[in-house]
Amino acid sequence: LYTTWNDVDAGAIFRVNLQGAAKPVKLTTEKGIYRMPSFSPDGKWIVFRKEGSSDVLGNAFTAQPGIYTMLANGGEQTFVTSRGDFPRFNKSSDRIYYQMGGGTNRNFASSDLKGLDERVHLKSTYGSQFTVSPDEAWIAFIDLHKAYVAAFPKTGKTIDIGSGTGDFPVKLVSKDAGFNLHWSNDSRQLHYTLGSQYFSINLEDRFSFIANKPDSLFKIPEQGIDVALEITTDKPKGIIAFTNARIITMKGNEVIENGTLVVEGNLIRAIGKSGEITAPAGATIIDCNGKTILPGFIDAHAHGNHFRSGIIPQKHWAYYTNLAFGVTTMHDPSANSELVFGQSEMIKAGLMTGPRVFSTGTVLYGADGNFKAVINSIDDARSALRRTKAFGAFSVKSYNQPRREQRQMIIQAARELNMEVVPEGGSTFYHNLSMILDGHTTIEHNIPVAPLFNDMIQLWKNAQTAYTPTLIVNYAGLSGEYYWYQHTNVWENERLLRFTPRGVIDPRSRHRTMAPEEEYENGYMLTSRSAKKLMDEGVKINMGAHGQIQGIGAHWEIWMMQQGGMSNLQALQTATINPAISLGLDKSIGSLEIGKLADLIVMDKNPLENIRNTESVHYTMVNGRLFDAATMNEIGNYKRSRSKFFWESNKNADSFPWHDGTETEAETCSCGQH
């Protein structure tokens, strides 16, 4: 039993017989966003969840999101309740279990098949993904990332459950983390995953009273079975030669006038003056007379709508918007780990179109929350980083860890695991200062003090910590985002609206804050001037647009760097070679050199003459694939037109999320932006 998704046809539920070569059978006739289907134990029914619309998937084709049932052979869908997710039948198939609530207030409940007679069995501060065994004797759950198993108490009252429960047996069964909990049919084994590892736990080994042997003999497994799924990385074929262009290579101050750049596959094979470089026979020639080529932009702090969970679209509009504006690499320092790394791998495999996506995954959150990372020892720090690295992260975000020694433990664990730490100080100057002293890779978001004086500048210079000020969301002063809403009609930007739902753009740009110019002068512009001072002393300053507005936000950040006194070339460096060096990616991207990956932008105008010319992106190439930036159709050696986004296929009001609610679960911190 499984669900499918198509951006045009929406979702469906299918059933397939695992015996023999049977073809899948479609069970649903209505379009919808279907999730979490499962059979009843007697095999007669299916329970599933229908989600509401969102600005990622579009119209949900239902006015009543919630839990539904349906005959196992398909047919009419029967609404049960609007509450809860992870629905499962009980063993007698006459009730449905589900999880309710969110954050630090989750419940595990059940109702009859009509959604009546609701009973709350369990409540938990940090617990989630409650999964009852088929015999209903056991309950598995996740508590602060780790997997636990408990006897399922049936007292007729609501029981508080968590990792510290002592009233009935609760046992830890994962070392660093466990996800996707599920049981064997005989209820004797619990299975879970972490990254590419698949783990199985025999209950008789964990609970002494089952097999009459001491559970002290049980050792939590460090390694599971490697799923060993390998997919070929996407790599285009053929040669493309860009001729007669101005090339800003980002090798120091190098600018090649009337140059040629040759791409073979996904690598740069030649670059130099046109008279010295000959396009190979059979190459596709792109005449760039009057145009400027520079490396693709790297957004070092790019929240790309990765907080959500659930269905992955075929086309993630945030990726298209970024590519259309020349952003070829995104580093997201806070995201839902399962979703962001899943989509990143789909891009690598050529199954999705998008920039290169890197991420810290879930932040190492120090304040309270059901996803916080409790760091009270170096082993806690090592465990938290191993958990993140298992998904594919090379960086972690230390965020709101309140004590300095906690942050130092994370730094030490990162050194041992060869990872980077990109922290945020929460707009606290001394918090940031200790991060610089302790050797963090970067500082994310601006220091909330301006101007910076020489003692601070020299300290920062010698610490070699990079800086991503995100002027677009400036601390201790008015944010740069509002400047551009005030001074430009963002809602009229045709390219932006071509790749972004109007329901996202209009509320932010039409109802705009109007402020005196000195508020901006004393806000983000002061921060930008401090960034200029730091850059002149050798500190790597990075462009990071924070996902405030996809695509165009990266350009605003570059322009705001220039407003603070940086030269146009320096401002461009913050979006290319600087973040590449800061993130350890400069051997592959960040500059245009032979042997590096073919990520580049072709602009109609010269950004060295006017920094606002960065918006004149004509072509974007990522990993050797060339796109017409105005349409995001693939061109060059491949001719592929993009399909429609949901708002292009369905222009009624239901396309926008405020009309029937967004039901996808989001993982975020208290400020709602991380």
Side-chain angles (χ1 to χ4, degrees):
L1 196 63
Y2 62 94
T3 64
T4 62
W5 177 259
N6 180 282
D7 286 349
V8 175
D9 298 328
I13 298 177
F14 281 79
R15 185 189 69 199
V16 64
N17 190 336
L18 297 181
Q19 304 298 321
K23 293 183 178 181
V25 177
K26 185 178 180 181
L27 301 179
T28 51
T29 57
E30 303 173 9
K31 290 183 177 182
I33 303 174
Y34 295 100
R35 291 192 64 199
M36 308 170 183
S38 67
F39 284 111
S40 61
D42 60 16
K44 296 179 180 179
W45 295 91
I46 292 170
V47 64
F48 55 91
R49 177 169 179 78
K50 290 179 74 171
E51 291 195 343
S53 67
S54 73
D55 62 13
V56 173
L57 298 177
N59 190 3
F61 302 98
T62 182
Q64 196 171 37
I67 294 172
Y68 286 75
T69 59
M70 180 174 62
L71 287 171
N73 291 324
E76 183 180 357
Q77 301 177 10
T78 301
F79 176 77
V80 178
T81 178
S82 61
R83 296 151 62 87
D85 56 10
F86 297 105
R88 293 291 185 271
F89 281 99
N90 68 345
K91 65 180 180 181
S92 56
S93 302
D94 59 1
R95 294 186 67 82
I96 296 171
Y97 289 113
Y98 45 84
Q99 178 178 287
M100 298 191 302
T104 55
N105 182 27
R106 293 183 191 269
N107 298 323
F108 183 63
S110 70
S111 74
D112 64 23
L113 302 188
K114 295 181 179 180
L116 304 176
D117 187 27
E118 184 175 82
R119 305 169 192 170
V120 179
H121 305 284
L122 303 170
K123 64 177 182 177
S124 183
T125 301
Y126 302 118
S128 64
Q129 204 179 123
F130 298 102
T131 308
V132 67
S133 62
D135 64 4
E136 297 185 38
W138 305 94
I139 187 80
F141 62 98
I142 297 171
D143 189 294
L144 297 181
H145 311 287
K146 296 185 178 182
Y148 292 82
V149 177
F152 188 18
K154 300 179 181 65
T155 65
K157 298 180 180 180
T158 301
I159 302 296
D160 202 334
I161 192 171
S163 60
T165 296
D167 295 336
F168 50 92
V170 176
K171 299 289 186 178
L172 175 67
V173 293
S174 66
K175 181 177 181 180
D176 298 321
F179 302 95
N180 302 308
L181 309 181
H182 55 288
W183 291 92
S184 61
N185 287 335
D186 61 8
S187 301
R188 298 174 66 179
Q189 282 189 319
L190 175 71
H191 308 285
Y192 63 85
T193 65
L194 175 58
S196 64
Q197 299 287 304
Y198 185 86
F199 295 85
S200 297
I201 303 295
N202 295 315
L203 291 194
E204 65 178 22
D205 295 335
R206 194 65 184 99
F207 293 89
S208 58
F209 57 82
I210 296 179
N212 197 27
K213 59 182 179 181
D215 61 7
S216 59
L217 298 176
F218 175 80
K219 292 185 178 180
I220 295 175
E222 296 188 8
Q223 291 288 326
I225 299 172
D226 195 333
V227 176
L229 174 64
E230 293 187 2
I231 297 177
T232 302
T233 301
D234 179 55
K235 182 179 178 181
K237 297 180 180 179
I239 301 173
I240 298 177
F242 300 90
T243 62
N244 306 314
R246 176 184 302 102
I247 305 175
I248 306 172
T249 66
M250 292 301 162
K251 288 176 58 181
N253 297 328
E254 181 182 52
V255 178
I256 302 173
E257 299 290 348
N258 191 23
T260 291
L261 186 149
V262 178
V263 173
E264 182 177 358
N266 66 341
L267 298 175
I268 297 172
R269 289 304 186 194
I271 184 171
K273 292 184 178 297
S274 292
E276 301 171 358
I277 303 292
T278 301
T284 297
I285 306 297
I286 307 293
D287 185 0
C288 296
N289 185 37
K291 293 179 170 56
T292 300
I293 301 177
L294 66 160
F297 290 148
I298 302 169
D299 191 334
H301 194 123
H303 299 307
N305 289 10
H306 296 136
F307 294 125
R308 55 185 294 277
S309 62
I311 300 293
I312 291 176
Q314 292 175 303
K315 296 187 307 303
H316 189 43
W317 61 258
Y319 294 164
Y320 279 77
T321 310
N322 277 288
L323 286 177
F325 283 89
V327 177
T328 57
T329 297
M330 302 170 67
H331 179 256
D332 190 339
S334 179
N336 179 332
S337 294
E338 289 186 283
L339 183 125
V340 70
F341 292 113
Q343 291 191 180
S344 174
E345 292 184 0
M346 291 182 74
I347 292 170
K348 292 176 185 176
L351 301 175
M352 291 184 78
T353 296
R356 302 181 191 278
V357 174
F358 304 99
S359 180
T360 63
T362 302
V363 296
L364 305 185
Y365 195 49
D368 202 17
N370 73 313
F371 62 96
K372 69 178 179 179
V374 179
I375 308 293
N376 289 319
S377 69
I378 184 63
D379 285 335
D380 287 343
R382 289 167 179 151
S383 178
L385 268 69
R386 285 195 301 264
R387 176 183 73 240
T388 302
K389 191 171 185 178
F391 282 105
F394 64 76
S395 60
V396 294
K397 185 174 184 178
S398 174
Y399 182 44
N400 276 346
Q401 291 291 335
R403 303 192 311 275
R404 186 176 180 184
E405 78 267 17
Q406 291 172 305
R407 303 191 293 273
Q408 291 172 331
M409 291 171 190
I410 292 171
I411 281 284
Q412 178 59 33
R415 292 190 179 108
E416 295 173 5
L417 292 169
N418 195 30
M419 299 181 74
E420 301 171 6
V421 184
V422 291
E424 179 180 341
S427 188
T428 304
F429 175 71
Y430 291 109
H431 205 148
N432 286 129
L433 186 60
S434 70
M435 289 174 170
I436 297 169
L437 288 167
D438 291 340
H440 285 74
T441 310
T442 67
I443 297 295
E444 301 298 307
H445 293 296
N446 68 293
I447 297 287
V449 173
L452 297 181
F453 295 108
N454 192 53
D455 56 347
M456 186 69 183
I457 291 171
Q458 293 305 314
L459 168 65
W460 208 324
K461 170 186 176 180
N462 287 286
Q464 299 184 19
T465 295
Y467 185 27
T468 311
T470 63
L471 302 170
I472 201 167
V473 286
N474 184 71
Y475 286 143
L478 202 57
S479 294
E481 179 180 13
Y482 301 114
Y483 178 91
W484 302 104
Y485 294 140
Q486 180 168 332
H487 291 82
T488 63
N489 291 346
V490 178
W491 68 89
E492 295 177 348
N493 189 312
E494 292 184 5
R495 182 175 304 192
L496 183 64
L497 288 170
R498 191 171 297 129
F499 304 108
T500 308
R502 182 171 284 280
V504 172
I505 299 300
D506 281 0
R508 301 184 75 87
S509 62
R510 285 180 177 268
H511 297 179
R512 48 189 175 181
T513 298
M514 305 296 285
E517 291 299 309
E518 58 262 30
E519 292 295 328
Y520 297 112
E521 287 283 344
N522 293 318
Y524 79 86
M525 289 187 189
L526 278 181
T527 302
S528 183
R529 293 187 188 105
S530 294
K532 158 67 173 172
K533 290 181 181 179
L534 289 166
M535 189 165 180
D536 286 346
E537 291 294 326
V539 176
K540 291 291 182 287
I541 308 298
N542 302 326
M543 180 271 286
H546 200 249
Q548 293 302 108
I549 184 167
Q550 303 295 336
I552 189 66
H555 293 261
W556 292 353
E557 194 73 12
I558 295 168
W559 302 345
M560 288 186 284
M561 297 287 189
Q562 190 263 356
Q563 285 180 323
M566 289 187 189
S567 69
N568 291 6
L569 181 62
Q570 284 181 315
L572 294 171
Q573 288 170 340
T574 70
T576 52
I577 189 61
N578 284 8
I581 293 172
S582 299
L583 296 171
L585 303 172
D586 53 304
K587 290 184 178 180
S588 300
I589 58 175
S591 62
L592 300 177
E593 301 180 60
I594 294 173
K596 285 196 172 185
L597 293 168
D599 293 0
L600 57 87
I601 316 168
V602 180
M603 296 179 179
D604 288 329
K605 301 177 183 179
N606 183 2
L608 296 178
E609 294 178 352
N610 184 337
I611 198 63
R612 297 283 293 273
N613 287 343
T614 60
E615 198 178 348
S616 67
V617 178
H618 192 109
Y619 302 119
T620 299
M621 174 174 276
V622 59
N623 198 45
R625 292 196 178 275
L626 185 64
F627 294 90
D628 175 359
T631 63
M632 279 305 296
N633 295 329
E634 188 174 357
I635 56 175
N637 291 327
Y638 297 83
K639 310 295 182 184
R640 296 174 182 168
S641 298
R642 69 164 178 86
S643 57
K644 290 183 177 181
F645 291 104
F646 65 82
W647 62 87
E648 295 175 308
S649 300
N650 184 3
K651 294 184 179 294
N652 63 37
D654 290 337
S655 297
F656 303 119
W658 58 77
H659 291 284
D660 58 358
T662 300
E663 298 296 328
T664 51
E665 181 179 330
E667 182 178 86
T668 179
C669 72
S670 57
C671 77
Q673 295 293 334
H674 302 86

